[in-house]
Amino acid sequence: MSHVKSALTIAGTDPSGGAGIQADLKTFQEREVYGMSVITSVVAQNTIGVQRVIHLPIDFIEEQFDAVWNDIKPNAIKTGMIATNEMMKLIAHKIKDSQIPYVIDPVMIAKSGDPLMEEASRAVIRDTLLPLATVVTPNVPEAEWLVNFSIKTIEDQKEAARVIVHQLGAQSVVVKGGHMEGEAKDVLYDGEAFHYFSSERIDTHHTHGTGCTFSACITAELAKGRTIKESVELSKRFITDAIKYSLELGKGNGPTNHWGYRLQGLPTKGVRQ
Ligand SMILES: Nc1ncnc2c1ncn2[C@@H]1O[C@H](COP(=O)(O)OP(=O)(O)O)[C@@H](O)[C@H]1O
Ligand SMILES: Cc1ncc(COP(=O)(O)O)c(N)n1
């Protein structure tokens, strides 16, 4: 048995490198987990917005999945952008008996406002994939859609978390606080207890791919055998440093810095050359 831990991301691409598959693989690498990927959609996008999306044929998504699965079985899986019903149903079918941790980042709309999932597919992700999730990581707009009420306070984040676990069937959920006001407070609920992970709100527009990076980090830590709580705690630190030391690149919502946590303690100036 190999001691090397591996993780698989099933998602769309970001050729500008900050979100999607590219962000996931960079994060896996930083967390010393062997990264693998199955591409669902090829996206022409950058820090400014999404220019065009091409969905790969469903049988080819399946072939990519089988190529990985029949050779290197991952220790954990995550899904990001899954745009269509067909893709969701395929993935549900492929992973339902896998017995490994599964993290869902229910990507619906990019930071730029461009849709990354067909609106009609939202019910399908809720009904077919969520019940399989070890952890699901909605941002506030995604959580609002899943639970069908608006989220304005920490109590609302908690109520949404309860609904997502007890009514929608996820094992645990992190209702992220990036879209709230004030501190960035994420709420983890595992069906028994609430845990809160907070950071100061960093005043920056460099938030392209934060959700992808955060959920990829959780996946990597679960692959290494950490508990859900440990994985989320560590990932919150990872994403905070990635945002804090974000890179001076791009003309829009710039990328975060996947090696930011290594710079902890260094002055920010040192990385802004
Ligand atoms: N400005 C910010 N300052 C500090 N942390 C942030 C900020 N924006 C987002 N985060 C954190 O980044 C992660 C992703 O958050 P969020 O923006 O809610 O998700 P998404 O990228 O899916 O929209 C969460 O851990 C959140 O708390
Ligand atoms: C392929 C892909 N997946 C996910 C996101 C969301 O990232 P964000 O909302 O942080 O821009 C994205 N822009 N592209």
Side-chain angles (χ1 to χ4, degrees):
M1 258 292 276
S2 170
H3 291 294
V4 179
K5 300 300 181 198
S6 64
L8 172 64
T9 172
I10 305 175
T13 63
D14 173 10
S16 71
I21 290 277
Q22 283 81 352
D24 294 343
L25 291 176
K26 290 175 189 186
T27 306
F28 293 161
Q29 183 79 7
E30 284 295 338
R31 302 312 305 154
E32 296 184 7
V33 164
Y34 181 77
M36 304 185 285
S37 60
V38 167
I39 294 172
T40 52
S41 303
V42 184
V43 184
Q45 64 168 318
N46 54 26
T47 66
I48 302 168
V50 174
Q51 288 83 48
R52 195 146 82 98
V53 180
I54 293 185
H55 301 320
L56 293 183
I58 202 81
D59 60 334
F60 190 61
I61 297 174
E62 182 166 21
E63 274 178 62
Q64 292 178 72
F65 182 91
D66 290 343
V68 175
W69 203 259
N70 296 335
D71 188 20
I72 307 174
K73 185 146 183 248
N75 297 97
I77 314 181
K78 81 156 260 194
T79 53
M81 176 188 177
I82 314 174
T84 70
N85 294 351
E86 268 186 310
M87 292 182 193
M88 288 172 194
K89 286 179 184 153
L90 169 75
I91 292 163
H93 171 70
K94 288 286 176 187
I95 67 181
K96 67 177 185 307
D97 300 316
S98 71
Q99 312 278 2
I100 58 177
Y102 170 37
V103 178
I104 301 184
D105 183 15
V107 173
M108 294 177 185
I109 297 172
K111 289 260 148 56
S112 53
D114 300 285
L116 294 173
M117 185 194 289
E118 287 171 356
E119 201 141 339
S121 302
R122 293 177 177 190
V124 182
I125 199 172
R126 183 189 61 204
D127 300 338
T128 61
L129 289 174
L130 244 60
L132 304 176
T134 311
V135 188
V136 55
T137 62
N139 63 20
V140 162
E142 289 155 356
E144 287 181 327
W145 191 88
L146 289 170
V147 301
N148 210 15
F149 56 79
S150 75
I151 299 173
K152 300 265 179 275
T153 64
I154 190 82
E155 281 310 314
D156 297 337
Q157 275 176 280
K158 287 175 68 176
E159 187 51 28
R162 279 192 200 97
V163 170
I164 289 168
V165 170
H166 296 302
Q167 292 179 28
L168 303 184
Q171 186 187 331
S172 72
V173 60
V174 183
V175 180
K176 297 175 294 189
H179 296 245
M180 302 287 281
E181 306 221 310
E183 60 180 349
K185 191 165 187 171
D186 300 348
V187 175
L188 167 64
Y189 182 57
D190 58 11
E192 285 178 5
F194 286 97
H195 304 280
Y196 307 96
F197 303 103
S198 273
S199 73
E200 55 165 337
R201 176 162 301 276
I202 301 158
D203 183 18
T204 178
H205 57 277
H206 285 251
T207 51
H208 180 62
T210 47
C212 308
T213 301
F214 177 70
S215 55
C217 190
I218 297 173
T219 311
E221 299 309 322
L222 291 172
K224 290 186 279 190
R226 286 195 206 276
T227 65
I228 293 171
K229 181 170 169 244
E230 286 167 348
S231 300
V232 174
E233 186 169 13
L234 204 144
S235 301
K236 176 65 177 170
R237 282 165 45 201
F238 186 88
I239 193 64
T240 302
D241 289 340
I243 300 171
K244 196 158 155 190
Y245 298 107
S246 61
L247 301 162
E248 293 273 304
L249 295 170
K251 298 190 171 99
N253 283 328
T256 67
N257 182 347
H258 291 96
W259 66 87
Y261 75 101
R262 291 198 249 147
L263 304 167
Q264 192 46 261
L266 287 184
T268 313
K269 263 191 178 151
V271 294
R272 291 192 182 274
Q273 305 297 322

